[in-house]
Each structure stands twice: as structure tokens, then as C-alpha cells.
């Protein structure tokens, strides 16, 4: 008996914890279970061929919005070439409207909801020759949900997870009832015991895993669970591993702040779903968020400069039009997160939002990911604009490569939203979005945009000179360029100033004591010197050292040397 679990991930660096958890719960029959992982970017013919070559007796697919369409295509073709094989499916994308999915894909059945207990029964039935007794729907009514603390730790080895994100689950469910989220359907919460979580995290720490991403919907919803885990991470930090958590920032208190403040820079990153700052919208989607408390918590954490913060917004929610979304955007932007993501409402099957869509004149795509097309408050034109703005934020803000330049340009606009809207229009008018500009070209585009939007001013020459220097500064913070960009000022006539400072440094090593063993010649290879006349209080030389980088921004280390 051979049972094949199939996961089709969005990207190679992702993995699918569901299939590994299912196999771990197969118990004595685990040897009958095999796992294959693909990505949605692979040719369907290759996926079909690999499954066919394994000749499984049973195949089960893990289904999500990102792989539903491709999964359906693979299943329909498998039915033609392996007509006697039983095919099952599970996951959030098929756990609702199950009867229609079974008919559409001609499935043997569906594992709905948490599937570990149901999968154990499925494997047992096939191994014992009683598969014909299995119903088409395996859910909680068929097999009681297995407590999270009883699910085995499946990472016995990390050899199959090289260069991939490690996912970990310490709690299941969510105490909140946000109408767009499937977690609102199940009101129960389940927690893995703290001692067990800490032992399992030690495994990742010992293996110096680059990142462990907790899939808990709201990690800090239970303080007695979350706080000791954070203390354990602090006390056993290996200087390498990063832990990612989704949290509700307005639930943070002094006990949380005490441990978070002590974290090594880069040890922890926090993803915080703001979604909207419009209180009418928040109330309508059954979300409980104290915006003022959330904002205060983010500002406090940002002041420590040790924790990467990712803030989320959702466009297309009820009662939020273009003006109120602009307010939400500006509110969140001004908190200064390392990343600001504008997502677009997905009307998930089985969610309360799906049932209420008619109340909001909410139109959305029939195909995954069921994304919003328009609402009573936002037209399709509005959403197209927000898409373009989101692309500009992703390209320029979230990359972290243009931070000083963007701060400077933002002062010439009424708000951050207005600047990114103007930048989106600039890209659209010049058809730049289809060109996929190179890294340096993006700097040049920003110079062209900035030069145009600062207008005809008496001091325009100084403005453009400062803009060019900021672009140069941002570029060298990230890149040890072999050739100078065209927009960088000509320093040939004053290069001797940089050389003299560097020669003195080779004798004194006052700026970079960590390079005390380097001669003048070696320093010229380790450091890049750049002269700036406008962006600091006085003309200065900045040396960029790429041997060490800020773990939050990825910027190199710099030292400033004022000159006369």
C-alpha cells in the first residue's frame, strides 16, 4: 500500500507543514506514506509525470488558494492516466462546499478541517483493507481532533529544508472573529505545551536554522503561553536564528516589552495586521483593535531598533473608500515599519465575508484567490490605483534601498499616500511597470521623478544636488559598486581628500578599529569613500564598510568624517 501526499507550494523556499504533520500522525503506517513537494511555477506536465511514476494507490492533495487551479488540473489528468487510483484532498480551500468539490474533481473524498486524526484513520483503513467503509467526508464527526500537544514533532532532520523557511505551530485557532478570515469559523483554541515548544525550538537553535516562522494566527493571544517562549528564545539565542511571529500589538504589555527590548537585533520579527484604521470598518468586520494602543506599541518597539516590524493593510473592506483607505495608509506609514504590505481582500470560501458579500455589493473573482473587484465604496478603477501604489511601495519602500531619498521626497507632498500615488502615475505614464527596471535604473527613475515633482523653485539646483547625493548615499549603503552611477557627483578633483583620510586611518584605525590589521592598500578594498556636500550639516566624507551590516535594514556600516 502506497499513499502519496502532494504539496504544491507558492515558491521553492516555502514548505508545507500540513503534509509533514499528517505523515507524522500516521503512526505504525508511516512507512506507507510518501511526500512530494512542487511549486506552482513548475510545468503541470512535470508534476503529473512525477506522480504517475510513483504509481501510488492513493494520492492526497493539500489545497490552498494559491494552488487550487493547478491542483484541479493535475487531478483531472490523473483520473485519465491512473483511473483506479483513489484521490483525496484536504486543506482550507476544500474544507467548505465539500460536496461540490467532490463532484467537480471526482474525488474519493475530502479531509476537512484539522486532518491529523482523520488521516490516521484513512491510512489505517487502506492498510487494513477496509477503505470501502470510509465516508466521502472525513471531518471532526468522523475522527475527533487530535490535541496539538499530541502531534509529533516532524523535523527529525533538516536535510530536506536547506535554504527553505521552517514553519512551526505552537497554537492552533484564533480567539478573534474577523469576518474575512477562516480562523473565525472555528472558535476553539489549542496550544502546544510550553516545555514541549521550548524543547523543539532548541532543535532549530542547535541546527542554527536561519528562520523559524510561527504559523500561529495570533501568537500573543495567551500570555501564559507566549511570554515564556519569548524568554526562552532570549536566553538561548544562538546569534543566527530569526523567529517570525504574527501578533496583536495592542495586547502587548510591560511584561512583553521587557523581553522584546532585550532581544538581539534581528532575533525576532513581528507581523502585525492593522488592516484598517477606520473604526466603522473595524467594527463591521468584527475585529477588535485598539488603534492608539497598537500605534504606541509599534512606536515603542521601533525606538529600540532591534525588531523588524511588518504592518499589513487590507484594501476592499466594508465602509472603506479611497479617502478612508488613504487615511489608513498614512496612519500606518507614519509608524515607520520595515515593511508595509497592502493586501487585497480575498473572499474565502466558508468565511463570514462570503456570506455577507451581497450586503456590501462586493464583487470578487470566481477563481482563486477570489480577490475583490469592487465594493459599494471602491470601484475597480480605485482598486487598480491601489494595486499600482502597492507595487511602488513594494519596489521602493519595502526594499529598504531608498529610505533616505524617499524621506526627502515625501516632504514635497501632502502625505505619503500622495507621493506613492504620484510615483505610480509616473510609472504608468511612462510604461515603466512592464520594463522591470534594473537596480540602478530604479535609482535613476527616482531621480527623474523627484526632479519633476520638486518643481520650478529658486533653490531647485540645491534640491536636485541634495537629491542626487541622497540617492548616492542610499545606493552605497547597500551596494559596493564597481563603477560609479551616472547621478553621483564628480569627485575627481577632491579624491585626494578621501585618500588622505584613508591613509591616516591606516595608521590610527580610529574610524574602523575592527580593521586594525589592514594596510592602506587593503583599506581601499574594504572601504568605499564618498564626498557629500549637501546632506549633512557640513561637507563630509562617508566611508562605507561592507564587512558588517545592520540586521534590520541590511545597510552596511558607515563612518562620517567632516571636512572643511
Amino acid at each position: 500500500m502506497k499513499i502519496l501526499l502532494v504539496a504544491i507550494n507558492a515558491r521553492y523556499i516555502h514548505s508545507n507543514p500540513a503534509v509533514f504533520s499528517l505523515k507524522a500522525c500516521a503512526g505504525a503506517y508511516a512507512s506507507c506514506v510518501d511526500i512530494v513537494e512542487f511549486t506552482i511555477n513548475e510545468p503541470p506536465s512535470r508534476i503529473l509525470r512525477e506522480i504517475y511514476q510513483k504509481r501510488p494507490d492513493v494520492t492526497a492533495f493539500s489545497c490552498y488558494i494559491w494552488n487550487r487551479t493547478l491542483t484541479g488540473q493535475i487531478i483531472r489528468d490523473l483520473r485519465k492516466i491512473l483511473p483506479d487510483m483513489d484521490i483525496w484532498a484536504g486543506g482550507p480551500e476544500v474544507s467548505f462546499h465539500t460536496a461540490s468539490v467532490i463532484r467537480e474533481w471526482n474525488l474519493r473524498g475530502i479531509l476537512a478541517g484539522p486532518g491529523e486524526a482523520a488521516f490516521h484513520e484513512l491510512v489505517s483503513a487502506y492498510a487494513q483493507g477496509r477503505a470501502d467503509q470510509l465516508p466521502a467526508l472525513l471531518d471532526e464527526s468522523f475522527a475527533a481532533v487530535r490535541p496539538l500537544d499530541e502531534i509529533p514533532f516532524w523535523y527529525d532532520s533538516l536535510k530536506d529544508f536547506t535554504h527553505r523557511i521552517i514553519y512551526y505551530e505552537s497554537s492552533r485557532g484564533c480567539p478573534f472573529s474577523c469576518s474575512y478570515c477562516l480562523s473565525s469559523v472555528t472558535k476553539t483554541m489549542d496550544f502546544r505545551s510550553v516545555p514541549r515548544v521550548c524543547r523543539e525550538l532548541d532543535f532549530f537553535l542547535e541546527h542554527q536554522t536561519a528562520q523559524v516562522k510561527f504559523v500561529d494566527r495570533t501568537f500573543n493571544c495567551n500570555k501564559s503561553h507566549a511570554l515564556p517562549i519569548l524568554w526562552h528564545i532570549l536566553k538561548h539565542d544562538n546569534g543566527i536564528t530569526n523567529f517570525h511571529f504574527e501578533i496583536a500589538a495592542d495586547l502587548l504589555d510591560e511584561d512583553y516589552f521587557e523581553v522584546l527590548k532585550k532581544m538581539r537585533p534581528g532575533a525576532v520579527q513581528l507581523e502585525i495586521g492593522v488592516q484598517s484604521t477606520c473604526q466603522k470598518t473595524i467594527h463591521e468586520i468584527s475585529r477588535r483593535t485598539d488603534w492608539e494602543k497598537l500605534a504606541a506599541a509599534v512606536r515603542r518597539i521601533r525606538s529600540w531598533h532591534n525588531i523588524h516590524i511588518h504592518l499589513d493593510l487590507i484594501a476592499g473592506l466594508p465602509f472603506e473608500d479611497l479617502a478612508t483607505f488613504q487615511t489608513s495608509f498614512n496612519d500606518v506609514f507614519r509608524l515607520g515599519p520595515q515593511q508595509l504590505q497592502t493586501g487585497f481582500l480575498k473572499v474565502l470560501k466558508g468565511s463570514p465575508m462570503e456570506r455577507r458579500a451581497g450586503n456590501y455589493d462586493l464583487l470578487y473573482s470566481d477563481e482563486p484567490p477570489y480577490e475583490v473587484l469592487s465594493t459599494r465604496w471602491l470601484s475597480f478603477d480605485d482598486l487598480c490605483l491601489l494595486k499600482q501604489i502597492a507595487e511602488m511601495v513594494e519596489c521602493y519602500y519595502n526594499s529598504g534601498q531608498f529610505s533616505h531619498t524617499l524621506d526627502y521626497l515625501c516632504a514635497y507632498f501632502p502625505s505619503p499616500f500622495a507621493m506613492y500615488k504620484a510615483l505610480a502615475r509616473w510609472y504608468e505614464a511612462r510604461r515603466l511597470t512592464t520594463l522591470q527596471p534594473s537596480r540602478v535604473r530604479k535609482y535613476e527613475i527616482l531621480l527623474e521623478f523627484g526632479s519633476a515633482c520638486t518643481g520650478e523653485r529658486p533653490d531647485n539646483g540645491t534640491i536636485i544636488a541634495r537629491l542626487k547625493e541622497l540617492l548616492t548615499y542610499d545606493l552605497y549603503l547597500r551596494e559596493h559598486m564597481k563603477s560609479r552611477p551616472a547621478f553621483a557627483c564628480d569627485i575627481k578633483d577632491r579624491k585626494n581628500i578621501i585618500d588622505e583620510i584613508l591613509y591616516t586611518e591606516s595608521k590610527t584605525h580610529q574610524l574602523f578599529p575592527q580593521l586594525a590589521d589592514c594596510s592602506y592598500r587593503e583599506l581601499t578594498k574594504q572601504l568605499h569613500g564618498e564626498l557629500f556636500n549637501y546632506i549633512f550639516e557640513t561637507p563630509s566624507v562617508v566611508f562605507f564598510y561592507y564587512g558588517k551590516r545592520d540586521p534590520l535594514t541590511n545597510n552596511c556600516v558607515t563612518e562620517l568624517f567632516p571636512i572643511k
Side-chain angles (χ1 to χ4, degrees):
M1 173 58 59
K2 182 187 295 184
I3 298 175
L4 185 66
L5 289 169
V6 179
I8 305 178
N9 304 320
R11 298 169 62 191
Y12 171 76
I13 63 169
H14 297 166
S15 59
N16 185 311
V19 294
F20 292 97
S21 183
L22 293 180
K23 179 172 181 177
C25 290
Y29 305 105
S31 60
C32 301
V33 180
D34 194 10
I35 293 174
V36 288
E37 290 188 275
F38 305 99
T39 77
I40 58 175
N41 300 312
E42 294 183 61
S45 58
R46 180 186 301 165
I47 299 174
L48 186 69
R49 182 176 69 247
E50 289 198 28
I51 295 174
Y52 174 79
Q53 289 173 344
K54 289 183 178 293
R55 297 294 202 284
D57 301 291
V58 181
T59 299
F61 289 84
S62 180
C63 302
Y64 298 85
I65 54 175
W66 62 79
N67 68 18
R68 188 188 196 278
T69 301
L70 179 56
T71 297
Q73 177 183 345
I74 298 299
I75 288 175
R76 284 188 288 270
D77 287 344
L78 280 173
R79 276 273 167 249
K80 299 172 184 176
I81 58 177
L82 292 173
D84 298 327
M85 180 179 66
D86 279 0
I87 301 178
W88 293 78
E93 187 53 25
V94 296
S95 289
F96 303 90
H97 310 300
T98 53
S100 63
V101 177
I102 290 173
R103 288 195 303 271
E104 178 188 353
W105 287 351
N106 190 19
L107 297 174
R108 172 62 180 84
I110 284 176
L111 284 77
E116 287 91 355
F119 184 73
H120 182 271
E121 292 298 322
L122 181 148
V123 176
S124 302
Y126 275 101
Q128 297 169 11
R130 51 182 179 85
D132 58 335
Q133 300 174 17
L134 291 172
L137 179 61
L138 304 185
D139 58 9
E140 294 179 33
S141 63
F142 175 78
V145 174
R146 180 175 291 192
L148 189 57
D149 214 31
E150 294 181 8
I151 295 175
F153 181 66
W154 61 83
Y155 290 109
D156 56 342
S157 169
L158 295 179
K159 63 181 180 66
D160 295 328
F161 297 93
T162 304
H163 306 305
R164 302 176 73 189
I165 298 172
I166 298 294
Y167 294 98
Y168 181 80
E169 186 177 32
S170 80
S171 67
R172 187 173 284 183
C174 183
F176 304 115
S177 302
C178 304
S179 62
Y180 55 82
C181 182
L182 287 180
S183 295
S184 65
V185 178
T186 304
K187 305 299 182 183
T188 58
M189 287 288 299
D190 189 15
F191 296 90
R192 211 164 176 84
S193 67
V194 170
R196 182 164 188 175
V197 170
C198 292
R199 287 198 304 272
E200 291 168 354
L201 295 187
D202 285 343
F203 174 83
F204 301 128
L205 291 166
E206 290 165 5
H207 284 78
Q208 298 188 341
T209 303
Q211 184 181 61
V212 177
K213 192 166 186 176
F214 277 62
V215 297
D216 304 38
R217 300 307 303 159
T218 308
F219 171 71
N220 65 323
C221 67
N222 184 323
K223 184 176 177 180
S224 64
H225 174 79
L227 194 60
I229 293 174
L230 290 173
W231 276 111
H232 184 84
I233 290 171
L234 174 65
K235 293 176 181 177
H236 297 84
D237 179 31
N238 61 8
I240 296 173
T241 304
N242 166 268
F243 292 91
H244 176 105
F245 303 98
E246 290 187 37
I247 68 161
D250 52 337
L251 296 183
L252 297 175
D253 61 14
E254 291 302 321
D255 292 332
Y256 280 115
F257 291 135
E258 181 185 1
V259 62
L260 290 173
K261 187 175 183 178
K262 296 177 179 177
M263 290 289 183
R264 164 182 57 86
V268 166
Q269 62 187 55
L270 302 177
E271 183 171 351
I272 301 165
V274 179
Q275 320 313 9
S276 172
T277 63
C278 174
Q279 290 308 301
K280 192 172 183 180
T281 296
I282 292 298
H283 180 267
E284 182 64 22
I285 62 176
S286 304
R287 187 172 177 82
R288 290 177 289 169
T289 302
D290 185 330
W291 163 247
E292 295 302 327
K293 192 173 181 181
L294 183 156
V298 171
R299 283 192 289 266
R300 187 170 178 180
I301 295 171
R302 285 277 290 127
S303 71
W304 305 330
H305 196 75
N306 68 331
I307 292 176
H308 179 284
I309 295 180
H310 176 133
L311 300 182
D312 293 319
L313 289 170
I314 297 179
L317 294 173
F319 296 106
E320 189 148 70
D321 58 16
L322 199 56
T324 52
F325 185 85
Q326 176 175 334
T327 300
S328 293
F329 181 96
N330 290 330
D331 288 342
V332 173
F333 187 94
R334 288 176 176 130
L335 293 180
Q338 276 74 30
Q339 284 202 308
L340 193 170
Q341 180 176 335
T342 296
F344 292 79
L345 178 64
K346 313 294 190 296
V347 185
L348 303 177
K349 292 183 182 298
S351 68
M353 187 64 72
E354 182 189 33
R355 297 193 297 273
R356 301 175 193 169
N359 300 342
Y360 312 130
D361 298 334
L362 171 55
L363 302 180
Y364 58 95
S365 175
D366 291 334
E367 299 300 318
Y370 317 113
E371 191 167 279
V372 60
L373 298 172
S374 67
T375 71
R376 188 182 307 162
W377 305 273
L378 279 176
S379 68
F380 185 66
D381 282 332
D382 294 335
L383 285 163
C384 287
L385 172 61
L386 293 180
K387 280 276 188 180
Q388 292 170 313
I389 291 172
E391 289 173 4
M392 293 298 97
V393 171
E394 185 64 27
C395 175
Y396 283 97
Y397 182 87
N398 288 346
S399 68
Q401 297 172 354
F402 311 88
S403 57
H404 298 87
T405 307
L406 292 172
D407 286 346
Y408 178 66
L409 287 177
C410 203
Y412 291 92
F413 292 87
S415 70
F417 184 90
M419 185 187 74
Y420 283 98
K421 178 180 176 181
L423 184 58
R425 294 301 196 204
W426 178 273
Y427 259 70
E428 181 184 37
R430 290 154 183 79
R431 301 182 180 275
L432 295 171
T433 52
T434 59
L435 298 179
Q436 296 182 335
S438 67
R439 182 181 66 254
V440 173
R441 178 60 184 140
K442 290 175 185 175
Y443 286 85
E444 295 170 347
I445 292 170
L446 205 55
L447 173 60
E448 295 161 8
F449 168 74
S451 300
C453 68
T454 52
E456 296 295 330
R457 300 168 185 264
D459 60 344
N460 198 49
T462 301
I463 291 173
I464 301 305
R466 183 173 286 113
L467 180 59
K468 289 180 177 180
E469 285 197 356
L470 286 166
L471 285 164
T472 304
Y473 185 68
D474 278 334
L475 178 61
Y476 279 109
L477 278 174
R478 284 295 187 88
E479 305 287 343
H480 196 171
M481 302 291 293
K482 294 182 179 179
S483 57
R484 291 174 60 73
F487 53 80
C489 65
D490 188 353
I491 60 171
K492 289 181 181 178
D493 294 341
R494 305 187 71 185
K495 191 176 184 303
N496 63 304
I497 297 175
I498 297 174
D499 291 338
E500 288 173 5
I501 298 171
L502 204 57
Y503 181 78
T504 301
E505 173 67 8
S506 70
K507 302 298 182 182
T508 64
H509 298 289
Q510 290 182 348
L511 297 176
F512 295 94
Q514 64 269 45
L515 299 178
D517 295 334
C518 292
S519 64
Y520 167 77
R521 185 177 181 83
E522 290 168 335
L523 285 180
T524 62
K525 297 177 181 179
Q526 292 282 349
L527 304 174
H528 173 76
E530 195 71 32
L531 180 62
F532 297 97
N533 292 308
Y534 296 97
I535 63 176
F536 299 106
E537 291 184 4
T538 62
S540 302
V541 170
V542 174
F543 288 101
F544 300 83
Y545 171 53
Y546 301 94
K548 185 177 181 181
R549 291 181 180 267
D550 186 309
L552 298 190
T553 65
N554 202 35
N555 289 340
C556 69
V557 173
T558 63
E559 287 292 340
L560 184 144
F561 192 94
I563 58 175
K564 295 181 180 180

